[in-house]
Amino acid sequence: MIISVVGHGYVGLVTAAVFADLGNTVWVLGRDPKKIEELRRGKVPFYEPGLEETVKRGLKNGYLKFTLSYSEAISPSEVIFIAVGTPGDKNGEADLSNVFIVAKKIARHITGYKIVATKSTVPPGTNQKIEEIMEKEKEKTASFDIASTPEFLSQGTALDNTLHPDRVVIGTKTQKAREILVRLHEPIDGEMILTNVKTAEMIKYAANAMLATRISFANLIALLSEQVGADALTVLKGVGLDKRIGKTFLSPGVGFGGSCLPKDTKALVKITQKAGVISEFFEAIIKVNEEVRKNFIQKIKKALGSKPQGKTIAILGLSFKPDTDDMREAPSIYIIKALQNLGVKIRAYDPKAMEKAEKILSWVTFLKDPYQTCSGSDILVVLTEWNEFKELDLLRVKELLKKPVVFDGRNIYNPEKLRELGFIYQGVGR
Ligand code: UDX
């Protein structure tokens, strides 16, 4: 099949690379000449395991093409995916301006029959608006069907999630659109949910909200466990081993970050308010996420004593989660800024995210490895659970630190082992 993907962020580029790898001809549409030029040379602007290789393969075999020209991409395409960003605006609502601009542009270039499917996360009813906008803009002889095909990929495992997803959701209005989209997705081995457009739009928000709910639940149990003297990890293991509940997404830590869960939960608050449905549930998820960060900062403050000025903190891990260089809504940003306000110096290391972190946290000293970061620092704080940090030579770390104090924001170390080694250890909820 010949398809187009508008947008080349995580969702757009991964979708395009995977469909090209499956033998479709995929046009990726962008608006920045510099970025499109770099992509044509196989340079991926962010770190995602395996993606650059897949893009290069697509370019080499000619299945993957990058362009700035709507007429070049849209006219041969049977399906056009909209995969542009829907960032949160200042009120917490999803900013759909890019989606609508793109819909207009697509409409002006369609000839014959096309399917315009949205991969971007958009509030229920958005595709209906896309349809209305496109109806006004298109040529009389052109026809199209809208569809919602939300993407559930998780950064760090995006290629695998797209090729082997737990489910493929296809929301359509017509039988024709459904059949074509089913044919396109046939080689992808997830269970298919064939439904209407609004249900597909809702599935995406509901799924992200469920993940955020579980994390905030785990973090609330951690906050409570610290107060009552229980071990949250054992509590949550005891909860998660119940097959009806399951073990995943129950790890307490410094809260959820990234480009999706924070923004989509905030958007859901607005969506529920507009719909006249109780919104406090989603508000509480956000509140717990903020509270768990504050609680962690509070513990570090206490350890720094009454004169924190001039002390040095070693930070390991900056990205919002491992295996990505993405700093969007990373808990590290909030925690480092709060510590900075105390007048402490920050030394930091992250295996992939330092280039992006430098732009946000310019006053931080970035080091080449964990040991250099710890050297001469007063305490150590772990904020992302990169594998590299799990196997550190902890005795060496202890010698390098001025005081053997570890704040483990992702619970990667065994408290007993660290205490045996002579560390003063604090995790989350333990
Ligand atoms: C998420 C969804 O998982 C994905 O389906 C959707 O398409 C996009 O949003 P992603 O943002 O890549 O994906 O990250 P995810 O793995 O969900 O983690 C989000 C945040 O939650 C991270 O900061 C992570 O550290 C945190 N997290 C996750 C926890 O604190 N505890 C957990 O148990 C799981």
Side-chain angles (χ1 to χ4, degrees):
M1 213 179 265
I2 303 178
I3 65 168
S4 283
V5 177
V6 189
H8 44 68
Y10 280 93
V11 172
L13 198 53
V14 172
T15 303
V18 166
F19 278 126
D21 225 29
L22 292 171
N24 300 285
T25 297
V26 185
W27 287 94
V28 180
L29 264 160
R31 60 178 177 187
D32 181 337
K34 201 171 149 236
K35 284 187 186 155
I36 289 293
E37 202 37 61
E38 286 189 344
L39 285 162
R40 279 185 184 143
R41 283 190 273 114
K43 200 170 175 308
V44 173
F46 49 83
Y47 173 70
E48 178 62 39
L51 183 58
E52 196 153 287
E53 292 86 324
T54 314
V55 167
K56 282 188 173 140
R57 194 160 58 238
L59 285 166
K60 202 169 161 212
N61 59 29
Y63 288 127
L64 190 59
K65 297 164 188 295
F66 294 93
T67 182
L68 296 160
S69 157
Y70 274 69
S71 47
E72 186 175 34
I74 305 295
S75 87
S77 295
E78 226 176 315
V79 179
I80 300 136
F81 288 107
I82 299 180
V84 295
T86 52
D89 68 11
K90 57 181 188 316
N91 303 318
E93 279 180 84
D95 177 353
L96 300 170
S97 50
N98 283 329
V99 171
F100 296 143
I101 289 169
V102 162
K104 262 190 197 167
K105 282 194 192 164
I106 295 170
R108 288 178 196 148
H109 288 90
I110 57 170
T111 47
Y113 170 79
K114 312 278 177 198
I115 295 167
V116 179
T118 307
K119 284 239 166 248
S120 310
T121 303
V122 293
T126 305
N127 279 288
Q128 199 176 303
K129 280 193 201 133
I130 291 176
E131 186 177 34
E132 287 159 17
I133 290 172
M134 289 189 60
E135 268 311 328
K136 279 193 208 134
E137 295 290 325
K138 73 169 184 64
E139 288 279 341
K140 275 204 184 78
T141 51
S143 67
F144 70 93
D145 270 318
I146 50 152
S148 168
T149 50
E151 176 53 59
F152 301 91
L153 64 81
S154 177
Q155 286 172 225
T157 51
L159 283 176
D160 189 58
N161 295 157
T162 308
L163 253 181
H164 311 286
D166 293 334
R167 76 301 212 185
V168 173
V169 175
I170 297 178
T172 47
K173 277 178 85 176
T174 67
Q175 188 64 23
K176 188 175 176 185
R178 175 178 289 192
E179 276 166 18
I180 294 171
L181 286 170
V182 166
R183 184 152 49 86
L184 177 65
H185 287 85
E186 210 99 77
I188 291 174
D189 63 6
E191 187 172 331
M192 278 197 197
I193 297 183
L194 305 178
T195 182
N196 62 45
V197 174
K198 282 192 181 149
T199 306
E201 290 171 330
M202 266 299 287
I203 290 173
K204 175 67 197 187
Y205 273 102
N208 274 358
M210 184 48 129
L211 296 173
T213 303
R214 290 178 67 101
I215 301 167
S216 275
F217 174 83
N219 282 327
L220 184 55
I221 294 296
L223 290 171
L224 186 57
S225 295
E226 284 183 8
Q227 293 309 314
V228 302
D231 178 59
L233 262 63
T234 312
V235 173
L236 289 160
K237 190 175 176 191
V239 172
L241 280 173
D242 184 326
K243 287 196 185 68
R244 293 169 304 174
I245 298 170
K247 288 185 278 189
T248 55
F249 272 74
L250 283 181
S251 302
V254 284
F256 57 78
S259 64
C260 294
L261 300 193
K263 120 179 131 59
D264 293 345
T265 317
K266 279 183 196 144
L268 257 180
V269 170
K270 296 289 168 188
I271 294 169
T272 44
Q273 281 170 351
K274 275 191 181 167
V277 171
I278 177 167
S279 63
E280 284 85 349
F281 182 83
F282 299 123
E283 285 170 43
I285 293 170
I286 297 164
K287 193 160 181 220
V288 172
N289 203 43
E290 289 164 357
E291 208 55 42
V292 78
R293 262 184 343 227
K294 282 190 204 151
N295 180 59
F296 191 69
I297 294 164
Q298 219 38 52
K299 284 195 275 187
I300 299 174
K301 269 189 187 173
K302 210 169 148 200
L304 289 171
S306 57
K307 289 196 187 92
Q309 296 84 356
K311 288 189 176 157
T312 305
I313 299 180
I315 304 272
L316 293 185
L318 297 163
S319 55
F320 82 97
K321 69 174 199 178
D323 297 318
T324 180
D325 61 355
D326 202 337
M327 286 294 294
R328 284 176 290 177
E329 297 286 323
S332 67
I333 300 173
Y334 300 91
I335 293 168
I336 290 174
K337 282 186 178 168
L339 296 174
Q340 175 75 12
N341 286 340
L342 300 174
V344 298
K345 289 187 202 122
I346 307 275
R347 292 163 73 80
Y349 168 75
D350 186 283
K352 293 283 177 200
M354 290 201 286
E355 208 182 306
K356 291 196 172 144
E358 266 176 357
K359 293 186 184 129
I360 310 164
L361 304 163
S362 53
W363 61 88
V364 167
T365 309
F366 295 95
L367 283 307
K368 285 204 174 70
D369 70 52
Y371 301 106
Q372 280 187 21
T373 312
C374 290
S375 178
S377 295
D378 287 273
I379 63 172
L380 168 61
V381 175
V382 178
L383 295 181
T384 317
E385 67 277 34
W386 285 93
N387 277 339
E388 187 180 332
F389 305 150
K390 295 178 185 164
E391 296 299 330
L392 287 183
D393 178 348
L394 290 168
L395 279 177
R396 193 172 156 203
V397 168
K398 193 180 154 204
E399 274 164 27
L400 291 169
L401 289 171
K402 279 193 201 151
K403 285 184 205 139
V405 180
V406 176
F407 284 90
D408 182 359
R410 296 293 184 178
N411 290 327
I412 61 172
Y413 298 121
N414 178 329
E416 272 99 61
K417 194 179 152 202
L418 261 83
R419 283 177 195 135
E420 262 168 39
L421 291 173
F423 282 96
I424 299 167
Y425 173 89
Q426 286 207 44
V428 176
R430 313 173 99 174

